[in-house]
Coordinates of all heavy atoms in Angstrom, one line a residue:
M1 N 0.8 -1.2 0.0 CA 0.0 0.0 0.0 C 0.9 1.2 0.0 O 1.9 1.3 0.7 CB -0.9 0.0 1.3 CG -2.2 -0.6 1.1 SD -3.1 -0.4 2.6 CE -4.3 -1.6 2.2
P2 N 0.5 2.2 -0.7 CA 1.3 3.5 -0.7 C 1.2 4.2 0.6 O 0.2 4.1 1.3 CB 0.6 4.3 -1.9 CG -0.7 3.7 -2.1 CD -0.7 2.3 -1.7
L3 N 2.2 4.9 0.9 CA 2.3 5.6 2.2 C 1.9 7.1 1.9 O 2.7 8.0 1.8 CB 3.7 5.6 2.8 CG 4.1 4.2 3.4 CD1 5.5 4.3 3.9 CD2 3.1 3.7 4.4
D4 N 0.6 7.3 1.7 CA 0.1 8.6 1.4 C -1.1 8.9 2.3 O -1.7 7.9 2.8 CB -0.1 8.9 -0.1 CG -1.1 7.9 -0.7 OD1 -2.0 7.3 0.1 OD2 -1.1 7.6 -1.9
Q5 N -1.5 10.1 2.3 CA -2.7 10.5 3.2 C -4.0 9.8 2.7 O -4.8 9.4 3.6 CB -2.8 12.0 3.3 CG -1.7 12.6 4.0 CD -1.9 14.1 4.2 OE1 -2.8 14.7 3.7 NE2 -1.0 14.7 5.0
Q6 N -4.1 9.6 1.4 CA -5.3 8.9 1.0 C -5.4 7.5 1.5 O -6.5 7.0 1.8 CB -5.4 8.9 -0.6 CG -5.6 10.3 -1.2 CD -4.2 11.1 -1.3 OE1 -3.2 10.5 -1.0 NE2 -4.3 12.3 -1.7
T7 N -4.3 6.8 1.6 CA -4.3 5.4 2.1 C -4.8 5.4 3.6 O -5.6 4.6 3.9 CB -2.9 4.8 2.0 OG1 -2.5 4.8 0.6 CG2 -2.9 3.4 2.6
G8 N -4.2 6.3 4.4 CA -4.6 6.4 5.8 C -6.1 6.7 5.9 O -6.8 6.0 6.7
V9 N -6.6 7.6 5.1 CA -8.0 7.9 5.2 C -8.9 6.7 4.8 O -9.9 6.4 5.4 CB -8.3 9.2 4.3 CG1 -9.8 9.4 4.2 CG2 -7.7 10.4 4.9
R10 N -8.5 6.1 3.7 CA -9.2 4.9 3.2 C -9.3 3.8 4.3 O -10.4 3.3 4.5 CB -8.6 4.4 1.9 CG -9.5 3.3 1.2 CD -8.9 2.9 -0.2 NE -7.7 2.2 -0.1 CZ -6.5 2.7 -0.6 NH1 -6.5 3.8 -1.2 NH2 -5.4 2.0 -0.5
V11 N -8.2 3.5 4.9 CA -8.2 2.4 5.9 C -9.0 2.9 7.1 O -9.8 2.2 7.7 CB -6.7 2.1 6.3 CG1 -6.7 1.0 7.5 CG2 -6.0 1.5 5.1
Y12 N -8.8 4.1 7.5 CA -9.5 4.7 8.7 C -11.0 4.7 8.4 O -11.8 4.2 9.3 CB -9.1 6.1 9.0 CG -10.0 6.9 9.8 CD1 -10.0 6.6 11.2 CD2 -10.8 7.9 9.3 CE1 -10.9 7.4 12.0 CE2 -11.7 8.6 10.1 CZ -11.7 8.3 11.5 OH -12.6 9.1 12.3
Q13 N -11.5 5.1 7.2 CA -12.9 5.1 6.9 C -13.5 3.7 6.9 O -14.6 3.5 7.3 CB -13.2 5.8 5.6 CG -14.6 6.1 5.4 CD -15.2 7.0 6.5 OE1 -14.7 8.0 6.8 NE2 -16.3 6.5 7.1
F14 N -12.7 2.7 6.4 CA -13.2 1.3 6.4 C -13.4 0.9 7.9 O -14.4 0.3 8.2 CB -12.1 0.4 5.7 CG -12.5 -1.0 5.9 CD1 -13.4 -1.6 5.1 CD2 -11.9 -1.8 6.9 CE1 -13.8 -3.0 5.3 CE2 -12.2 -3.1 7.1 CZ -13.1 -3.7 6.2
I15 N -12.5 1.2 8.7 CA -12.6 0.8 10.2 C -13.8 1.5 10.8 O -14.6 0.8 11.4 CB -11.3 1.2 10.9 CG1 -10.1 0.3 10.5 CG2 -11.5 1.0 12.4 CD1 -8.8 0.8 11.0
V16 N -14.0 2.8 10.5 CA -15.1 3.5 11.1 C -16.4 2.9 10.6 O -17.4 2.8 11.4 CB -15.0 5.0 10.8 CG1 -16.3 5.7 11.2 CG2 -13.8 5.6 11.6
D17 N -16.5 2.6 9.3 CA -17.7 2.0 8.8 C -18.0 0.7 9.5 O -19.2 0.4 9.8 CB -17.6 1.8 7.3 CG -17.6 3.1 6.5 OD1 -18.0 4.2 7.1 OD2 -17.3 3.0 5.3
R18 N -17.0 -0.2 9.7 CA -17.3 -1.4 10.4 C -17.6 -1.2 11.8 O -18.5 -2.0 12.4 CB -16.0 -2.3 10.3 CG -15.5 -2.7 8.9 CD -16.5 -3.4 8.0 NE -17.6 -2.7 7.5 CZ -17.6 -1.8 6.5 NH1 -16.5 -1.5 5.9 NH2 -18.7 -1.2 6.1
L19 N -17.0 -0.2 12.5 CA -17.4 0.1 13.9 C -18.8 0.5 13.9 O -19.6 0.2 14.9 CB -16.5 1.1 14.5 CG -15.0 0.7 14.7 CD1 -14.2 1.9 15.1 CD2 -14.9 -0.4 15.7
E20 N -19.3 1.3 13.0 CA -20.7 1.8 12.9 C -21.6 0.6 12.7 O -22.6 0.5 13.4 CB -20.9 2.7 11.8 CG -20.3 4.1 12.0 CD -21.1 5.0 12.9 OE1 -22.3 4.8 13.0 OE2 -20.5 5.9 13.5
D21 N -21.2 -0.4 11.9 CA -22.0 -1.6 11.7 C -22.1 -2.3 13.0 O -23.2 -2.8 13.4 CB -21.4 -2.5 10.6 CG -21.4 -1.9 9.2 OD1 -22.1 -1.0 8.9 OD2 -20.6 -2.5 8.4
R22 N -21.0 -2.5 13.7 CA -21.0 -3.2 14.9 C -21.8 -2.5 16.0 O -22.6 -3.1 16.7 CB -19.6 -3.4 15.4 CG -19.4 -4.3 16.7 CD -18.0 -4.4 17.1 NE -17.6 -3.2 17.7 CZ -16.3 -2.9 18.0 NH1 -15.4 -3.8 17.8 NH2 -16.0 -1.7 18.6
R23 N -21.7 -1.2 16.0 CA -22.5 -0.4 17.0 C -24.0 -0.6 16.7 O -24.8 -0.8 17.7 CB -22.2 1.1 16.9 CG -22.9 1.9 18.0 CD -22.5 3.3 18.0 NE -23.0 3.9 16.7 CZ -23.1 5.2 16.6 NH1 -22.7 6.0 17.5 NH2 -23.6 5.7 15.5
H24 N -24.4 -0.6 15.5 CA -25.8 -0.8 15.1 C -26.3 -2.2 15.5 O -27.5 -2.3 15.9 CB -26.1 -0.4 13.7 CG -26.0 1.0 13.4 ND1 -26.8 2.0 13.9 CD2 -25.1 1.7 12.6 CE1 -26.5 3.2 13.4 NE2 -25.4 3.0 12.7
E25 N -25.5 -3.2 15.3 CA -25.8 -4.5 15.6 C -26.0 -4.7 17.1 O -26.9 -5.6 17.5 CB -24.7 -5.5 15.1 CG -24.7 -5.6 13.6 CD -23.4 -6.4 13.2 OE1 -22.7 -6.9 14.1 OE2 -23.2 -6.5 12.0
H26 N -25.3 -4.0 17.9 CA -25.3 -4.2 19.4 C -26.1 -3.1 20.1 O -26.1 -3.1 21.3 CB -23.9 -4.3 19.9 CG -23.2 -5.5 19.4 ND1 -22.2 -5.4 18.5 CD2 -23.2 -6.8 19.7 CE1 -21.7 -6.6 18.2 NE2 -22.3 -7.5 18.9
Y27 N -26.7 -2.2 19.4 CA -27.5 -1.1 20.0 C -28.5 -1.7 20.9 O -29.2 -2.6 20.7 CB -28.1 -0.3 18.9 CG -28.8 0.9 19.5 CD1 -28.1 2.1 19.8 CD2 -30.2 0.9 19.7 CE1 -28.7 3.2 20.3 CE2 -30.8 2.0 20.2 CZ -30.1 3.2 20.5 OH -30.7 4.3 21.0
P28 N -28.7 -1.1 22.1 CA -28.1 0.1 22.6 C -26.8 -0.1 23.4 O -26.1 0.8 23.8 CB -29.1 0.7 23.6 CG -29.8 -0.5 24.1 CD -29.8 -1.5 23.0
A29 N -26.4 -1.4 23.5 CA -25.1 -1.7 24.2 C -23.9 -1.4 23.2 O -24.1 -1.2 22.0 CB -25.1 -3.1 24.6
G30 N -22.8 -1.3 23.7 CA -21.6 -1.1 22.9 C -21.1 0.3 22.6 O -20.1 0.5 21.9
R31 N -21.8 1.3 23.2 CA -21.4 2.7 22.9 C -20.0 3.0 23.4 O -19.2 3.6 22.7 CB -22.4 3.6 23.5 CG -22.1 5.0 23.2 CD -23.2 6.0 23.7 NE -22.4 7.1 24.3 CZ -22.4 7.5 25.5 NH1 -23.1 6.9 26.4 NH2 -21.7 8.6 25.9
E32 N -19.6 2.5 24.6 CA -18.3 2.8 25.1 C -17.2 2.1 24.3 O -16.2 2.7 24.0 CB -18.2 2.4 26.6 CG -19.1 3.3 27.5 CD -19.1 2.8 28.9 OE1 -18.3 1.9 29.3 OE2 -19.8 3.4 29.7
A33 N -17.4 0.9 23.9 CA -16.4 0.2 23.1 C -16.3 0.9 21.7 O -15.2 1.0 21.2 CB -16.9 -1.3 22.9
Y34 N -17.4 1.3 21.1 CA -17.3 2.0 19.9 C -16.5 3.3 20.0 O -15.6 3.6 19.2 CB -18.8 2.4 19.4 CG -18.8 3.4 18.3 CD1 -18.6 3.0 17.0 CD2 -19.0 4.8 18.6 CE1 -18.5 4.0 16.0 CE2 -19.0 5.7 17.6 CZ -18.8 5.3 16.3 OH -18.7 6.2 15.3
E35 N -16.8 4.1 21.1 CA -16.1 5.3 21.2 C -14.6 5.1 21.5 O -13.8 5.8 20.9 CB -16.7 6.1 22.4 CG -18.1 6.7 22.1 CD -18.7 7.4 23.2 OE1 -18.2 7.3 24.4 OE2 -19.8 7.9 23.0
A36 N -14.2 4.1 22.2 CA -12.8 3.8 22.5 C -12.1 3.4 21.2 O -11.0 3.8 20.9 CB -12.7 2.7 23.5
D37 N -12.8 2.5 20.4 CA -12.2 2.0 19.2 C -12.1 3.1 18.1 O -11.1 3.3 17.4 CB -12.9 0.8 18.6 CG -12.8 -0.4 19.4 OD1 -11.8 -0.5 20.2 OD2 -13.6 -1.3 19.3
W38 N -13.2 4.0 18.1 CA -13.2 5.1 17.1 C -12.0 6.1 17.4 O -11.3 6.5 16.6 CB -14.5 5.8 17.2 CG -14.6 7.0 16.2 CD1 -15.0 6.9 14.9 CD2 -14.1 8.3 16.4 NE1 -14.9 8.2 14.3 CE2 -14.3 9.0 15.2 CE3 -13.6 9.0 17.5 CZ2 -14.0 10.4 15.1 CZ3 -13.3 10.3 17.4 CH2 -13.5 11.0 16.2
T39 N -11.9 6.3 18.7 CA -10.8 7.3 19.2 C -9.4 6.7 18.8 O -8.6 7.4 18.3 CB -10.9 7.5 20.7 OG1 -12.2 8.2 20.9 CG2 -9.8 8.4 21.2
A40 N -9.2 5.4 19.0 CA -7.9 4.8 18.7 C -7.7 4.9 17.2 O -6.6 5.2 16.8 CB -7.9 3.3 19.2
A41 N -8.7 4.6 16.4 CA -8.5 4.6 14.9 C -8.3 6.1 14.5 O -7.4 6.3 13.6 CB -9.7 4.0 14.2
H42 N -9.0 7.0 15.0 CA -8.8 8.4 14.7 C -7.4 8.9 15.0 O -6.8 9.6 14.2 CB -9.9 9.2 15.4 CG -9.8 10.7 15.1 ND1 -9.1 11.6 15.8 CD2 -10.3 11.4 14.0 CE1 -9.2 12.8 15.3 NE2 -9.9 12.7 14.2
D43 N -6.9 8.5 16.2 CA -5.6 9.0 16.6 C -4.5 8.4 15.7 O -3.6 9.0 15.3 CB -5.4 8.6 18.1 CG -6.2 9.4 19.0 OD1 -6.8 10.5 18.6 OD2 -6.2 9.1 20.2
L44 N -4.7 7.1 15.4 CA -3.7 6.4 14.5 C -3.7 7.1 13.1 O -2.6 7.4 12.5 CB -4.0 4.9 14.3 CG -3.6 4.0 15.5 CD1 -4.2 2.6 15.3 CD2 -2.1 4.0 15.6
E45 N -4.9 7.4 12.6 CA -4.9 8.0 11.2 C -4.3 9.4 11.3 O -3.6 9.8 10.4 CB -6.4 8.1 10.8 CG -6.5 8.4 9.3 CD -6.4 9.9 9.0 OE1 -6.8 10.7 9.9 OE2 -5.9 10.3 7.9
K46 N -4.6 10.1 12.3 CA -4.0 11.5 12.5 C -2.5 11.4 12.6 O -1.8 12.2 11.9 CB -4.6 12.2 13.7 CG -4.2 13.6 13.9 CD -4.9 14.2 15.1 CE -4.0 14.3 16.2 NZ -4.5 14.9 17.4
D47 N -2.0 10.5 13.4 CA -0.5 10.3 13.5 C 0.1 9.8 12.2 O 1.2 10.3 11.9 CB -0.2 9.3 14.7 CG -0.6 9.9 16.0 OD1 -0.8 11.1 16.2 OD2 -0.6 9.1 17.0
F48 N -0.6 9.0 11.5 CA -0.1 8.5 10.2 C 0.0 9.7 9.2 O 1.0 9.9 8.6 CB -1.1 7.5 9.6 CG -0.8 7.1 8.2 CD1 0.3 6.2 7.9 CD2 -1.5 7.6 7.1 CE1 0.6 5.8 6.6 CE2 -1.2 7.2 5.8 CZ -0.2 6.3 5.6
A49 N -1.0 10.5 9.2 CA -1.0 11.7 8.3 C 0.2 12.6 8.7 O 0.8 13.2 7.8 CB -2.3 12.5 8.4
Q50 N 0.4 12.8 9.9 CA 1.5 13.6 10.4 C 2.9 13.0 10.0 O 3.8 13.8 9.5 CB 1.5 13.9 11.9 CG 0.3 14.8 12.3 CD 0.2 14.9 13.8 OE1 0.7 14.1 14.6 NE2 -0.5 15.9 14.2
A51 N 3.0 11.7 10.1 CA 4.2 11.0 9.7 C 4.5 11.2 8.2 O 5.6 11.4 7.7 CB 4.2 9.6 10.1
V52 N 3.4 11.0 7.4 CA 3.5 11.2 5.9 C 3.9 12.6 5.6 O 4.8 12.8 4.8 CB 2.2 10.8 5.2 CG1 2.2 11.2 3.8 CG2 1.9 9.3 5.4
H53 N 3.3 13.6 6.2 CA 3.6 15.0 6.0 C 5.1 15.3 6.4 O 5.7 16.1 5.7 CB 2.6 15.9 6.7 CG 2.8 17.3 6.5 ND1 2.5 17.9 5.3 CD2 3.3 18.3 7.3 CE1 2.8 19.2 5.4 NE2 3.3 19.5 6.6
A54 N 5.5 14.7 7.5 CA 6.9 14.9 7.9 C 7.9 14.1 7.2 O 9.1 14.2 7.5 CB 7.0 14.6 9.4
D55 N 7.5 13.3 6.2 CA 8.4 12.5 5.4 C 9.1 11.5 6.3 O 10.3 11.4 6.1 CB 9.3 13.3 4.5 CG 9.9 12.5 3.4 OD1 9.3 11.5 3.0 OD2 11.0 12.9 2.9
D56 N 8.4 10.8 7.1 CA 8.9 9.8 8.0 C 8.3 8.5 7.7 O 7.4 8.0 8.3 CB 8.6 10.2 9.5 CG 9.2 9.3 10.5 OD1 9.8 8.2 10.1 OD2 9.1 9.6 11.7
P57 N 8.9 7.8 6.6 CA 8.2 6.6 6.2 C 8.3 5.4 7.2 O 7.3 4.6 7.2 CB 9.0 6.2 4.9 CG 10.3 7.0 5.0 CD 10.0 8.2 5.8
A58 N 9.3 5.4 8.0 CA 9.3 4.3 9.0 C 8.2 4.4 10.0 O 7.5 3.4 10.2 CB 10.6 4.3 9.7
T59 N 7.9 5.6 10.5 CA 6.8 5.8 11.4 C 5.5 5.6 10.7 O 4.6 5.0 11.2 CB 6.9 7.2 12.0 OG1 8.1 7.3 12.8 CG2 5.7 7.4 13.0
A60 N 5.4 6.1 9.5 CA 4.1 6.0 8.7 C 3.8 4.5 8.5 O 2.7 4.1 8.6 CB 4.3 6.7 7.4
E61 N 4.8 3.7 8.1 CA 4.6 2.3 7.9 C 4.1 1.6 9.1 O 3.2 0.8 9.1 CB 5.9 1.7 7.4 CG 5.8 0.2 7.0 CD 5.0 -0.1 5.8 OE1 5.1 0.7 4.8 OE2 4.2 -1.1 5.8
Q62 N 4.7 1.9 10.2 CA 4.3 1.3 11.5 C 2.9 1.7 11.9 O 2.1 0.8 12.3 CB 5.3 1.8 12.6 CG 4.9 1.3 14.0 CD 5.7 1.9 15.1 OE1 6.5 2.8 14.9 NE2 5.6 1.4 16.3
L63 N 2.5 3.0 11.7 CA 1.2 3.4 12.0 C 0.1 2.8 11.0 O -1.0 2.4 11.4 CB 1.1 4.9 12.0 CG 1.9 5.6 13.1 CD1 2.1 7.1 12.8 CD2 1.2 5.4 14.5
L64 N 0.5 2.7 9.8 CA -0.4 2.1 8.8 C -0.6 0.6 9.2 O -1.7 0.1 9.1 CB 0.2 2.2 7.4 CG -0.7 1.6 6.3 CD1 -2.1 2.2 6.2 CD2 0.0 1.7 4.9
Q65 N 0.5 -0.1 9.6 CA 0.3 -1.5 10.0 C -0.6 -1.6 11.2 O -1.4 -2.5 11.3 CB 1.7 -2.1 10.4 CG 1.6 -3.5 10.7 CD 0.9 -4.4 9.6 OE1 1.4 -4.3 8.5 NE2 -0.1 -5.1 9.9
Q66 N -0.5 -0.6 12.1 CA -1.5 -0.6 13.3 C -2.9 -0.4 12.8 O -3.8 -1.0 13.4 CB -1.1 0.4 14.3 CG 0.2 0.1 15.0 CD 0.7 1.2 16.0 OE1 -0.2 1.9 16.6 NE2 2.0 1.4 16.1
L67 N -3.1 0.5 11.9 CA -4.5 0.6 11.3 C -4.9 -0.6 10.7 O -6.1 -1.1 10.8 CB -4.5 1.8 10.3 CG -4.6 3.2 10.9 CD1 -4.3 4.2 9.8 CD2 -6.0 3.5 11.4
M68 N -4.1 -1.3 9.9 CA -4.4 -2.5 9.2 C -4.7 -3.6 10.3 O -5.6 -4.5 10.1 CB -3.3 -3.0 8.3 CG -3.2 -2.1 7.1 SD -4.7 -2.0 6.1 CE -4.8 -3.6 5.4
D69 N -4.0 -3.6 11.4 CA -4.3 -4.6 12.5 C -5.7 -4.3 13.0 O -6.4 -5.3 13.4 CB -3.2 -4.5 13.6 CG -1.9 -5.0 13.2 OD1 -1.8 -5.7 12.1 OD2 -0.9 -4.7 13.9
M70 N -6.1 -3.1 13.1 CA -7.4 -2.8 13.6 C -8.5 -3.2 12.6 O -9.6 -3.6 13.0 CB -7.6 -1.3 13.8 CG -7.0 -0.7 15.1 SD -7.5 1.0 15.4 CE -9.1 0.7 16.1
A71 N -8.1 -3.2 11.3 CA -9.1 -3.7 10.3 C -9.1 -5.2 10.1 O -10.0 -5.7 9.4 CB -8.7 -3.0 8.9
A72 N -8.1 -5.9 10.7 CA -8.0 -7.3 10.5 C -9.2 -8.1 10.8 O -9.5 -9.1 10.1 CB -6.8 -7.8 11.3
P73 N -10.0 -7.8 11.8 CA -11.2 -8.6 12.1 C -12.2 -8.7 10.9 O -13.0 -9.6 10.9 CB -11.8 -8.0 13.3 CG -10.7 -7.3 14.0 CD -9.8 -6.8 12.9
W74 N -12.1 -7.8 10.0 CA -13.0 -7.7 8.9 C -12.2 -8.0 7.6 O -12.6 -7.6 6.5 CB -13.6 -6.3 8.8 CG -14.4 -6.0 10.0 CD1 -15.5 -6.5 10.5 CD2 -13.9 -5.0 11.0 NE1 -15.9 -5.9 11.7 CE2 -14.9 -5.0 12.0 CE3 -12.8 -4.2 11.2 CZ2 -14.8 -4.2 13.2 CZ3 -12.7 -3.4 12.3 CH2 -13.7 -3.4 13.3
C75 N -11.2 -8.8 7.6 CA -10.3 -9.1 6.5 C -11.1 -9.8 5.3 O -10.7 -9.6 4.2 CB -9.1 -9.9 6.8 SG -9.5 -11.6 7.4
N76 N -12.2 -10.4 5.6 CA -13.0 -11.1 4.6 C -14.1 -10.2 4.0 O -14.8 -10.6 3.1 CB -13.6 -12.4 5.1 CG -12.6 -13.4 5.4 OD1 -11.6 -13.5 4.7 ND2 -12.8 -14.2 6.4
H77 N -14.2 -9.0 4.5 CA -15.1 -8.0 4.0 C -14.7 -7.6 2.6 O -13.5 -7.4 2.3 CB -15.2 -6.8 4.9 CG -16.3 -5.9 4.6 ND1 -16.3 -5.0 3.6 CD2 -17.5 -5.7 5.2 CE1 -17.4 -4.3 3.6 NE2 -18.2 -4.8 4.6
P78 N -15.7 -7.5 1.7 CA -15.3 -7.2 0.3 C -14.6 -5.8 0.1 O -13.9 -5.6 -0.9 CB -16.6 -7.2 -0.5 CG -17.7 -7.2 0.5 CD -17.1 -7.7 1.8
H79 N -14.8 -4.9 1.1 CA -14.2 -3.6 0.9 C -13.0 -3.4 1.8 O -12.5 -2.2 2.0 CB -15.3 -2.5 1.3 CG -16.4 -2.5 0.3 ND1 -17.7 -2.7 0.8 CD2 -16.5 -2.4 -1.0 CE1 -18.5 -2.7 -0.3 NE2 -17.8 -2.5 -1.4
H80 N -12.5 -4.5 2.4 CA -11.3 -4.4 3.2 C -10.2 -3.8 2.3 O -10.0 -4.1 1.2 CB -10.9 -5.7 3.7 CG -9.8 -5.7 4.7 ND1 -8.5 -5.5 4.4 CD2 -9.8 -5.8 6.1 CE1 -7.7 -5.5 5.5 NE2 -8.5 -5.7 6.5
P81 N -9.4 -2.8 2.9 CA -8.4 -2.1 2.1 C -7.4 -3.1 1.4 O -6.9 -2.8 0.3 CB -7.7 -1.2 3.1 CG -8.7 -1.0 4.1 CD -9.5 -2.2 4.2
A82 N -7.1 -4.2 2.1 CA -6.1 -5.1 1.5 C -6.7 -5.8 0.3 O -5.9 -6.4 -0.5 CB -5.6 -6.1 2.5
N83 N -8.0 -5.8 0.1 CA -8.6 -6.5 -1.0 C -8.8 -5.5 -2.2 O -9.5 -5.9 -3.2 CB -10.0 -7.0 -0.6 CG -9.9 -8.0 0.5 OD1 -8.8 -8.7 0.6 ND2 -10.9 -8.2 1.3
Q84 N -8.2 -4.3 -2.2 CA -8.4 -3.4 -3.2 C -7.1 -3.1 -4.0 O -6.0 -3.2 -3.4 CB -8.9 -2.0 -2.7 CG -10.3 -2.2 -2.1 CD -10.8 -0.8 -1.6 OE1 -10.1 0.1 -1.6 NE2 -12.1 -0.8 -1.2
T85 N -7.2 -2.8 -5.2 CA -6.1 -2.5 -6.0 C -5.8 -1.0 -5.9 O -6.5 -0.3 -5.2 CB -6.3 -2.8 -7.5 OG1 -7.4 -2.0 -8.0 CG2 -6.6 -4.3 -7.7
R86 N -4.7 -0.6 -6.5 CA -4.3 0.8 -6.4 C -5.4 1.8 -6.9 O -5.5 2.9 -6.4 CB -3.0 1.1 -7.1 CG -1.8 0.5 -6.4 CD -0.6 1.1 -7.0 NE -0.2 2.2 -6.2 CZ 1.0 2.6 -6.0 NH1 2.0 2.0 -6.6 NH2 1.3 3.6 -5.2
D87 N -6.1 1.4 -7.9 CA -7.2 2.3 -8.4 C -8.5 2.1 -7.7 O -9.5 2.5 -8.1 CB -7.4 2.0 -9.9 CG -7.9 0.7 -10.3 OD1 -8.1 -0.2 -9.4 OD2 -8.1 0.4 -11.5
K88 N -8.4 1.5 -6.5 CA -9.5 1.3 -5.6 C -10.6 0.4 -6.0 O -11.7 0.3 -5.5 CB -10.1 2.7 -5.2 CG -9.1 3.6 -4.5 CD -9.8 4.9 -4.1 CE -8.8 5.8 -3.5 NZ -8.0 6.6 -4.5
H89 N -10.3 -0.5 -7.0 CA -11.3 -1.5 -7.5 C -10.9 -2.8 -6.8 O -9.7 -3.0 -6.4 CB -11.2 -1.7 -9.0 CG -11.8 -0.5 -9.7 ND1 -11.1 0.5 -10.1 CD2 -13.1 -0.3 -10.1 CE1 -11.8 1.4 -10.7 NE2 -13.1 1.0 -10.7
Q90 N -11.9 -3.7 -6.7 CA -11.6 -5.0 -6.1 C -10.6 -5.8 -7.0 O -10.7 -5.7 -8.2 CB -12.9 -5.8 -5.9 CG -13.9 -5.2 -4.9 CD -13.3 -5.0 -3.6 OE1 -13.1 -3.9 -3.1 NE2 -13.0 -6.1 -2.9
A91 N -9.7 -6.4 -6.4 CA -8.8 -7.3 -7.1 C -9.5 -8.5 -7.7 O -10.4 -9.0 -7.1 CB -7.7 -7.8 -6.2
D92 N -9.2 -8.8 -8.9 CA -9.8 -10.0 -9.6 C -8.9 -11.2 -9.4 O -7.8 -11.3 -10.0 CB -9.9 -9.7 -11.1 CG -10.6 -10.8 -11.8 OD1 -10.9 -11.9 -11.3 OD2 -11.0 -10.6 -13.0
P93 N -9.3 -12.2 -8.6 CA -8.5 -13.3 -8.3 C -8.2 -14.2 -9.5 O -7.3 -15.1 -9.5 CB -9.2 -14.1 -7.2 CG -10.6 -13.6 -7.3 CD -10.6 -12.2 -7.9
T94 N -8.9 -14.0 -10.6 CA -8.7 -14.8 -11.8 C -7.6 -14.3 -12.7 O -7.2 -14.9 -13.6 CB -10.0 -14.9 -12.6 OG1 -10.4 -13.6 -13.1 CG2 -11.2 -15.5 -11.8
V95 N -7.1 -13.1 -12.4 CA -6.1 -12.4 -13.1 C -4.7 -12.8 -12.5 O -4.5 -12.6 -11.3 CB -6.3 -10.9 -13.2 CG1 -5.1 -10.2 -13.9 CG2 -7.6 -10.6 -13.8
P96 N -3.8 -13.4 -13.3 CA -2.5 -13.7 -12.7 C -1.8 -12.5 -12.1 O -1.8 -11.4 -12.7 CB -1.7 -14.2 -13.9 CG -2.8 -14.7 -14.9 CD -3.9 -13.7 -14.7
G97 N -1.3 -12.6 -10.9 CA -0.6 -11.6 -10.2 C -1.5 -10.6 -9.4 O -1.0 -9.8 -8.7
A98 N -2.8 -10.8 -9.5 CA -3.8 -10.0 -8.8 C -3.8 -10.5 -7.3 O -3.7 -11.7 -7.0 CB -5.2 -10.1 -9.4
R99 N -3.9 -9.5 -6.4 CA -4.0 -9.9 -5.0 C -5.4 -10.4 -4.7 O -6.4 -9.9 -5.3 CB -3.7 -8.6 -4.1 CG -2.4 -8.1 -4.3 CD -2.1 -6.9 -3.4 NE -3.3 -6.0 -3.4 CZ -3.3 -4.8 -2.9 NH1 -2.2 -4.4 -2.3 NH2 -4.4 -4.1 -2.9
S100 N -5.5 -11.3 -3.8 CA -6.8 -11.8 -3.5 C -7.1 -11.6 -2.0 O -6.3 -11.1 -1.3 CB -6.9 -13.3 -3.8 OG -5.9 -14.0 -3.1

C-alpha cells in the first residue's frame, strides 16, 4: 500500500464504517467500546498523516500497520483495504498476479 494520506483515510474510513455496523448490531449496548475504538482509529490516522507529511516513512509504515491490524477482524469483507487494487477496485483473483 502506498504511504500517502489517501491510504490512511481509506483504511480509517473502512474501520469507522465497520465500527458503525458493529454499533448498530449491538445497539443500545456497545457505545463505550465504539467510542474507544473510534478514538484509537482516529488517533492512528491522524498520527499517520503527520508522519507522511513529515516524510517519516518508517513511522508511517508502523502506523499504517497498526491501522491494518485494527481492520484485521474484517479481512474477509469485500471492501477491506487489502482487497483493493491501487485504483480502488476490487482485485480480480482470476487475473494472474492480482492480489486476493
Side-chain angles (χ1 to χ4, degrees):
M1 269 187 195
L3 293 177
D4 57 27
Q5 290 186 353
Q6 292 83 6
T7 299
V9 169
R10 188 171 69 243
V11 176
Y12 165 74
Q13 191 59 55
F14 172 80
I15 294 167
V16 169
D17 290 347
R18 302 298 70 79
L19 292 174
E20 289 282 337
D21 292 345
R22 186 179 73 189
R23 183 177 70 160
H24 290 294
E25 289 170 6
H26 296 104
Y27 183 82
R31 185 176 137 244
E32 291 177 7
Y34 165 82
E35 290 175 355
D37 290 342
W38 181 91
T39 299
H42 181 264
D43 291 347
L44 282 171
E45 193 279 328
K46 185 174 103 177
D47 292 346
F48 173 79
Q50 290 174 343
V52 168
H53 183 71
D55 197 26
D56 183 354
T59 300
E61 182 71 38
Q62 177 187 9
L63 293 164
L64 181 59
Q65 183 57 54
Q66 289 178 33
L67 279 167
M68 292 300 290
D69 290 346
M70 284 190 78
W74 303 287
C75 64
N76 292 324
H77 191 282
H79 298 120
H80 190 280
N83 298 333
Q84 296 181 353
T85 61
R86 286 194 95 149
D87 64 1
K88 300 182 182 84
H89 289 92
Q90 294 302 114
D92 183 350
T94 63
V95 175
R99 297 181 318 189
S100 56

